[in-house]
Amino acid sequence: MSGWDYKSAGIDYEILDAFKRACQREAQATQDALEAHGLRLAPQVRGESAFVLEGRDEFLAHVEEGLGTKNLVADAMRHLTGRCFYHAIGIDLVATIVNDLITCGALPVCVAMHAAAGDSRWFEDTARAVALARGFAEGCRLAGAVWGGGETPALPGMVEASTIVLAGSAIGRISPKSHRITGDIRPGDQIILLASSGVQTNGLSLCRALAGTLPDGYLTPMGDGRLFGEALLDASHVYVRVIADLLAGGIVPSGAAHITGHGWRKLMRSNAPVIHRISEPGSIPPIFQFIQHQARLDDRQMYATFNMGAGFALWVHPDQTEPALAIARRHFRAWRAGECVQAGKRKAVEILPAGIVFESDTLQLR
């Protein structure tokens, strides 16, 4: 697989991001509709992970997200091992939605599922269907949110009969308004990273392509007592309680980012013209070491695609670093990874131990 990159797995973020930018331009013309509802668009919200509306006393936030192709790994492992992994898939689906929602400081109120099957008979496998439902409900409980409904279309001719496309949405509240995380990151802010459970929900198309090149595919031992397919299906962490506890403790981060697609380039999600200088990227979990070795990817490709063991990032004022770490560590492994520095108007991510620099032109979401 020498010279292989994410585009060869069918995912070209340059094409996807160009469409996102086009949508943002067209969406601007619809904003006047908010006035009739007594709402307005929150400042600097276009292109962010969550869409934020400003009311008189609070902000409301909305997110729509999709799981991606992780459930195809669960299907393959069910065929190979007889084990059902859809409880974890349900948690994953909630996590990928609410972990985006909390980046603005919104706490989830309601989460909905969109489960589009290629054939209604997909739901006849009751063990799988019930596991998905129970996992989604568990994810909602972890997020402190109610499961509010959803949609279950059957789309023959659009979705393959044996598969299902999983997505969903969530609504959250920011109250009081001072709890909004604005992304106003400044030089001197400290960067805290929260550990991931593994690949979580990004990079699975690459992992599926890799499995196709291995003699034993998903059943390939990773050398740590686990199979490749098993490790890929670890349920994602739900980071809601960290944000909730920070806000309850009087700590409003200046920024927050869910590290998913685009890997560590996501640290530049904010418009702030700062350099995110990483001196402690943290230890690399076995799953990523295995992927890198088997796919023969260099460090830059890995950090540009995967979370590499860090699923969520926080930016806090230096005086808040230790209290924020103490709160985060109640829930997950967390560490001070670096700080923000200023060099004119340059925006970049520098991962010093790996000698990697991502400039702003490698992440064009607006």
Side-chain angles (χ1 to χ4, degrees), residues 30-97:
T30 69
Q31 291 174 197
D32 291 345
L34 290 173
E35 186 176 348
H37 301 281
L39 299 169
R40 63 179 180 178
L41 196 66
Q44 299 180 342
V45 71
R46 292 289 182 191
E48 295 298 323
S49 296
F51 186 70
V52 181
L53 300 174
E54 184 174 4
R56 185 178 64 181
D57 301 317
E58 65 182 3
F59 290 104
L60 300 175
H62 175 260
V63 163
E64 174 90 12
E65 259 297 340
L67 178 70
T69 64
K70 190 169 184 176
N71 56 297
L72 295 182
V73 180
D75 291 340
M77 286 294 287
R78 176 85 175 278
H79 175 75
L80 292 168
T81 69
R83 295 171 56 194
C84 180
F85 293 86
Y86 266 78
H87 185 273
I89 291 295
I91 295 173
D92 281 320
L93 181 52
V94 175
T96 200
I97 299 166

Side-chain angles (χ1 to χ4, degrees), residues 158-239:
M158 295 183 68
V159 179
E160 291 186 14
S162 62
T163 62
I164 191 167
V165 178
L166 295 170
S169 61
I171 295 171
R173 296 172 63 240
I174 306 172
S175 181
K177 294 171 88 171
S178 59
H179 282 181
R180 185 185 173 204
I181 300 173
T182 62
D184 185 20
I185 298 168
R186 302 188 178 189
D189 280 354
Q190 302 297 291
I191 303 168
I192 293 173
L193 295 179
L194 309 181
S196 70
S197 63
V199 297
Q200 303 208 143
T201 58
N202 75 289
L204 272 300
S205 293
L206 184 155
C207 295
R208 289 171 46 236
L210 173 60
T213 71
L214 302 173
D216 294 317
Y218 292 117
L219 300 182
T220 303
M222 295 203 313
D224 64 346
R226 306 192 72 199
L227 302 178
F228 181 41
E230 289 176 325
L232 290 177
L233 291 167
D234 287 338
S236 302
H237 287 328
V238 175
Y239 298 105

Side-chain angles (χ1 to χ4, degrees), residues 72-159:
L72 295 182
V73 180
D75 291 340
M77 286 294 287
R78 176 85 175 278
H79 175 75
L80 292 168
T81 69
R83 295 171 56 194
C84 180
F85 293 86
Y86 266 78
H87 185 273
I89 291 295
I91 295 173
D92 281 320
L93 181 52
V94 175
T96 200
I97 299 166
V98 299
N99 287 343
D100 271 7
L101 188 71
I102 60 174
T103 60
C104 67
L107 300 182
V109 174
C110 175
V111 186
M113 178 197 291
H114 188 99
D119 190 305
S120 58
R121 286 174 292 183
W122 189 95
F123 299 99
E124 289 183 340
D125 184 338
T126 55
R128 179 176 60 185
V130 169
L132 173 60
R134 287 178 175 169
F136 195 85
E138 176 64 15
C140 290
R141 284 190 287 271
L142 291 170
V146 64
W147 180 354
E151 174 71 355
T152 54
L155 303 174
M158 295 183 68
V159 179

